[in-house]
């Protein structure tokens, strides 16, 4: 058994781009609302242009436009922001070319709707992040792992991987189901700000010492609302 609270919420409207910090979020069987709605692809193909192959993507941000009644709304198309701060609408005809130019994608890019986040939400535990930073001898940012939820809980570092898949985890007033630990790709080894620097030592450590996992996936079949500061329990 454990208890704690939600410290951060994040949404990534476009796969591979930096996301937006939230105060609250709606989650249902499709995943966190507004998360990973769009992706980049090589024109005319199904080949994804993703952060592991094009780490300069993370110099860009994507965020849903704030709504007067709800700043965390997922309504409307995401807005794209390049590293210099210039904003681009999804329907701007110059956006694909500008993306391709700045992320080193010589074949160009197409922006397409995706299947979203596959109905799951990624949770990272702060105790494990602190322990990983201690092991590496430097701060490892949670942004490298692109979590939806960052929690503080009275669990030992990495103890979340001993939790049984299928067990109930309560976030705020709602029950979620633990699906499985997140198997990591090469993406966490790249700086999460698009500066195009790779930490190969971190990549090796995650593979050899953490069984190539960091964070856990949770799902829900019902509509839930989670907020920063909500209690968690399992």
């Amino acid at each position: 058994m454990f208890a704690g609270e939600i410290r951060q919420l994040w949404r990534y409207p476009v796969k591979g781009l930096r996301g937006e910090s939230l105060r609250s979020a709606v989650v249902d069987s499709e995943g966190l609302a507004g998360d990973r709605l769009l992706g980049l692809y090589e024109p005319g193909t199904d080949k994804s242009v993703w952060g592991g192959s094009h780490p300069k993507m993370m110099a860009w941000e994507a965020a849903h436009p704030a709504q007067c009644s709800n700043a965390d709304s997922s309504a409307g198309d995401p807005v794209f922001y390049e590293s210099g701060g210039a904003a681009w609408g999804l329907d701007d005809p110059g956006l694909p070319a500008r993306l391709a130019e700045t992320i080193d994608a010589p074949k160009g890019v197409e922006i397409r709707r995706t299947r979203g986040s596959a109905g799951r939400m990624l949770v990272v535990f702060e105790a494990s992040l602190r322990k990983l930073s201690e092991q590496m001898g430097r701060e490892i940012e949670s942004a490298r792992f692109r979590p939806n939820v960052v929690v503080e809980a009275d669990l030992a570092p990495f103890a979340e991987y001993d939790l049984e898949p299928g067990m109930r985890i309560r976030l705020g007033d709602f029950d979620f189901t633990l699906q499985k630990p997140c198997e990591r790709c090469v993406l966490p080894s790249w700086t999460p700000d698009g500066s195009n620097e790779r930490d190969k030592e971190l990549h090796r450590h995650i593979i050899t010492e953490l069984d190539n996992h960091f964070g856990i996936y949770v799902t829900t079949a019902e509509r839930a609302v989670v907020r920063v500061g909500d209690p968690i329990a399992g």
Side-chain angles (χ1 to χ4, degrees):
M1 301 293 291
F2 64 89
E5 72 172 25
I6 295 175
R7 293 290 178 86
Q8 299 176 40
L9 289 171
W10 290 90
R11 174 170 61 197
Y12 308 91
V14 182
K15 289 185 175 182
L17 274 57
R18 296 203 313 275
E20 53 186 334
S21 175
L22 305 176
R23 298 170 302 179
S24 64
V26 174
V27 191
D28 59 20
S29 60
E30 299 296 317
L32 191 149
D35 191 47
R36 296 170 169 87
L37 292 181
L38 301 172
L40 307 185
Y41 297 84
E42 287 189 2
T45 78
D46 291 327
K47 185 176 181 180
S48 176
V49 177
W50 67 294
S53 60
H54 295 76
K56 289 184 179 180
M57 288 173 64
M58 289 177 282
W60 284 71
E61 295 182 17
H64 289 277
Q67 306 295 315
C68 292
S69 59
N70 179 8
D72 296 332
S73 171
S74 60
D77 290 324
V79 178
F80 292 66
Y81 299 91
E82 59 178 291
S83 60
W88 296 79
L90 180 60
D91 60 352
D92 192 312
L95 175 60
R98 182 59 178 163
L99 274 165
E101 176 189 1
T102 56
I103 68 173
D104 295 339
K107 295 181 179 180
V109 299
E110 287 181 353
I111 306 167
R112 301 183 202 158
R113 299 282 174 180
T114 73
R115 292 183 296 174
S117 55
R120 60 195 186 186
M121 187 168 67
L122 180 62
V123 181
V124 163
F125 286 70
E126 286 193 340
S128 299
L129 191 63
R130 286 194 296 269
K131 185 64 175 180
L132 177 59
S133 297
E134 178 185 321
Q135 291 172 340
M136 299 305 300
R138 56 186 179 277
E139 182 182 3
I140 303 299
E141 310 98 314
S142 63
R144 286 182 179 270
F145 301 100
R146 303 179 70 78
N148 296 116
V149 188
V150 179
V151 303
E152 182 67 88
D154 54 0
L155 279 175
F158 311 125
E160 61 269 28
Y161 306 117
D162 295 326
L163 302 177
E164 288 292 328
M167 74 169 286
R168 186 183 72 175
I169 294 180
R170 194 158 181 84
L171 302 179
D173 297 326
F174 301 91
D175 288 335
F176 289 74
T177 300
L178 172 61
Q179 186 187 49
K180 64 178 182 178
C182 176
E183 185 174 358
R184 306 310 315 199
C185 63
V186 70
L187 191 59
S189 68
W190 288 101
T191 43
D193 60 1
S195 56
N196 205 35
E197 298 176 9
R198 189 172 176 206
D199 189 338
K200 293 183 179 180
E201 183 183 5
L202 174 61
H203 186 54
R204 287 193 296 269
H205 185 89
I206 293 171
I207 293 172
T208 60
E209 302 300 324
L210 303 182
D211 194 31
N212 204 30
H213 292 101
F214 200 86
I216 60 174
Y217 287 120
V218 299
T219 63
T220 181
E222 307 296 333
R223 184 183 186 276
V225 178
V226 293
R227 299 176 176 85
V228 172
D230 275 354
I232 69 165

